[in-house]
Amino acid sequence: MEDFEKRIIETINGIDVASILQRLIKAPSCYPPGNTVRVADVCETILRENGIPSKRVALDETLPSVIGELGSAEGPVVVMHSHIDTVPTGEEKRWTYPPFSGTIANGMVYGRGAGDCKGSTAVQLAAMIALKKAGVNLGGKVQIACVADEENCGKKGTKWLREEKILNPDFLIIGEQTEDKVAVAERQAIWVKLIVDGKASHAAIPWRGENAIVRMAYVIKELEEYLKPRLRSDHPYLPPSTMSINLIEGGTKENVVPESCAISIDRRVLPGESKESVFHELEEVLDRVKSKIGPFPSRLELIIDQGPSIDTDPDCELVKIMQKALKDITGREEKIISYAQGSDARYFSQDGIPVVIFGPSDPDVGHMVDECCSIAQLEDGARVLALTVVRLLGV
C-alpha cells in the first residue's frame, strides 16, 4: 500500500462513521411521502463541516438530492450514489429500539434506513471526508450523490439527475446492501397486466355467459406449470429469472358471471431478456390455453419496464480495483456477487459504463423491523471506497 493510501486509511480510522449514520437516521425520510428535506440538510451540513463543495438539486422541492464533489474536472468522473429516502417503519411498537433513534447496541446501528440505504450514504460521506482531510490531489473527479425518490422508482430523483446530466459518470458505484461485497449484476423488473375477457350474464343462467375468472384459472395453471420451469437460470452471478403473479382482479357482484379478469405479473429478467421476449412468452402461454379450451379475447398491457439488466464485466478495471481494495482492507478474498433486489443502477444500464453495487449491511434486513447495520462494515466500507477512488483516478 502506498504512503498516501496509508494516510487515507489512518484518516478514516479517526472518523466516526456510525455517528454519521446516526445523524442520517434521526432525519426521517419515509416514502410515502418521501420528503428528503431534513436528511438532505444533514448531508449538506456534513459536507460543509468538512470543507467539501456541494449543491442541492431538485425537480420537486420536497425531494432534494445533494451532490458533493472533489478533484479535477479534467480526468474521469467516479460517482458514488446512495439514496436517502426509506420505506415506512410499520408499527413502531414492534421495534426493539425507536426506529429514528439510531441506537447503537451489540456492534450495530439500529434504525429505519440503517441498511437501506443510509448506511451506504454514511460510508460514502466518510470516504469523501477522508479524501478531503488526507489532502490528496486526485487525477479526476469524485462525486457523492445523496439521492431522493428511489423508493418511488426514482423518476424525480436519479432518472431526472441522469436526464439533466447532473450525474454523468465514467465509473459508477451504487450504494446498496451487499455486506461490503462487490456486486456486478442486477436483474430488472418488467410488470405486465394480462387481461382475459368473457361475457357477463346472470349467475342463475351461467350458460348464457363466459366466465373470465375460470378462463384465467387455466392461464394461471399454464403459467405455473409450463412457463415457470422454463425460465432461464444461466447467469454466473444472478439468481434465476423469475415470474410472480401478485395481483388479481375480476368480477363485479356475487350473482354476475364475470366478463373480465386481470392478473399483474412481476418478471425479474436476466441480461438478454426484454419486454419483447417477456410478451412473446406470455403470448405463447395464451395460445397454449386457447388450443385446449377454445379461443377467447385476451390482451397484454405493460405496467413497468425498467430496461436492461446490469451486467458489468467482472474483469473490468473498476471491479478489479475494488476487489483488490477489499482484500487489502479485510485480508479476505471475497467472491463477486449479484444484487438480488433493485436499485437506481437501472438508469445507467444503457450508458456503457462499468457499474458496481457495494455497501454495508445484510440485504435481508432492509425494509424490516429492527433494521440495522454493522459498525465494522461501515468502517471497512469507507476504507474500501476511498482506496477504490484514489486507485481509479490516481493522484
Side-chain angles (χ1 to χ4, degrees):
M1 196 178 291
E2 300 284 348
D3 287 342
F4 71 87
E5 294 177 340
K6 292 177 182 177
R7 188 164 74 248
I8 292 168
I9 299 305
E10 289 169 3
T11 304
I12 290 175
N13 293 342
I15 297 171
D16 190 345
V17 191
S19 176
I20 294 174
L21 178 53
Q22 286 179 303
R23 292 170 69 177
L24 296 170
I25 290 170
K26 290 176 181 179
S29 51
C30 300
Y31 174 81
N35 188 307
T36 55
V37 171
R38 285 182 60 189
V39 69
D41 289 343
V42 173
C43 293
E44 273 193 303
T45 300
I46 290 170
L47 291 168
R48 186 173 61 249
E49 287 171 350
N50 291 280
I52 299 170
S54 66
K55 60 183 177 181
R56 179 181 293 226
V57 291
L59 176 62
D60 179 330
E61 65 180 12
T62 68
L63 301 171
S65 300
V66 175
I67 314 294
E69 63 180 49
L70 292 170
S72 166
E74 296 178 2
V77 178
V78 179
V79 171
M80 299 189 294
H81 171 297
S82 180
H83 68 90
I84 53 176
D85 60 331
T86 72
V87 296
T89 62
E91 292 183 47
E92 294 192 14
K93 65 183 180 182
R94 296 176 57 211
W95 289 67
T96 303
Y97 310 104
F100 301 117
S101 65
T103 297
I104 292 177
N106 306 313
M108 311 288 281
V109 182
Y110 287 84
R112 177 53 83 220
D116 189 14
C117 199
K118 292 177 178 180
S120 288
T121 305
V123 162
Q124 293 175 7
L125 285 166
M128 291 290 283
I129 294 167
L131 291 170
K132 174 67 175 179
K133 287 187 172 182
V136 293
N137 294 315
L138 297 171
K141 182 191 292 184
V142 58
Q143 293 179 317
I144 180 172
C146 309
V147 174
D149 203 43
E150 192 270 353
E151 297 293 354
N152 189 32
C153 297
K155 290 181 180 179
K156 295 182 178 181
T158 300
K159 183 175 187 292
W160 173 74
L161 291 167
R162 188 71 191 98
E163 289 172 348
E164 294 296 312
K165 299 193 183 303
I166 296 169
L167 295 181
N168 196 24
D170 297 298
F171 302 97
L172 177 64
I173 300 168
I174 294 284
E176 289 286 356
Q177 297 168 276
T178 68
E179 295 189 291
D180 284 350
K181 296 174 185 176
V182 178
V184 299
E186 176 185 290
R187 297 175 303 170
Q188 300 302 335
I190 297 175
W191 294 354
V192 180
K193 179 174 278 192
L194 188 158
I195 302 152
V196 165
D197 291 325
K199 179 183 176 183
S201 73
H202 197 291
I205 46 173
W207 55 85
R208 297 284 180 85
E210 298 286 350
N211 194 312
I213 290 177
V214 172
R215 285 174 171 170
M216 184 61 81
Y218 284 97
V219 173
I220 292 173
K221 186 173 186 291
E222 198 75 11
L223 287 168
E224 291 292 316
E225 296 182 0
Y226 173 76
L227 178 58
K228 187 175 282 187
R230 288 167 172 77
L231 296 178
R232 285 177 49 196
S233 59
D234 55 356
H235 195 278
Y237 303 112
L238 284 166
S241 183
T242 57
M243 177 197 68
S244 182
I245 302 164
N246 296 332
L247 289 173
I248 187 165
E249 310 163 62
T252 55
K253 199 172 184 293
E254 289 81 359
N255 61 349
V256 179
V257 172
E259 63 180 352
S260 182
C261 185
I263 58 173
S264 294
I265 300 168
D266 179 304
R267 274 285 278 112
R268 300 292 163 131
V269 296
L270 294 178
E273 296 183 300
S274 65
K275 176 191 70 176
E276 289 74 21
S277 66
V278 169
F279 270 54
H280 176 77
E281 69 192 19
L282 295 176
E283 291 285 8
E284 181 186 0
V285 165
L286 288 167
D287 288 344
R288 287 177 61 85
V289 173
K290 291 172 188 180
S291 71
K292 294 176 181 179
I293 68 171
F296 54 84
S298 62
R299 59 194 183 277
L300 301 172
E301 295 179 358
L302 180 68
I303 302 171
I304 283 178
D305 177 10
Q306 292 187 335
S309 297
I310 302 301
D311 195 23
T312 299
D313 181 356
D315 291 321
C316 75
E317 181 184 18
L318 173 59
V319 175
K320 284 187 171 181
I321 286 176
M322 195 166 224
Q323 281 287 91
K324 178 64 165 57
L326 186 57
K327 184 177 180 181
D328 288 346
I329 293 303
T330 65
R332 299 189 303 273
E333 195 84 59
E334 296 285 5
K335 289 183 178 180
I336 291 171
I337 64 168
S338 66
Y339 184 60
Q341 287 85 344
S343 77
D344 278 348
R346 60 183 173 272
Y347 293 116
F348 302 85
S349 62
Q350 300 183 67
D351 293 344
I353 62 170
V355 179
V356 300
I357 302 160
F358 175 88
S361 185
D362 183 339
D364 287 347
V365 307
H367 298 196
M368 292 180 64
V369 167
D370 287 345
E371 184 178 354
C372 58
C373 185
S374 156
I375 294 174
Q377 285 185 8
L378 288 169
E379 294 170 348
D380 280 348
R383 297 181 184 108
V384 171
L385 286 178
L387 277 189
T388 298
V389 169
V390 295
R391 290 175 178 179
L392 275 172
L393 297 180
V395 295

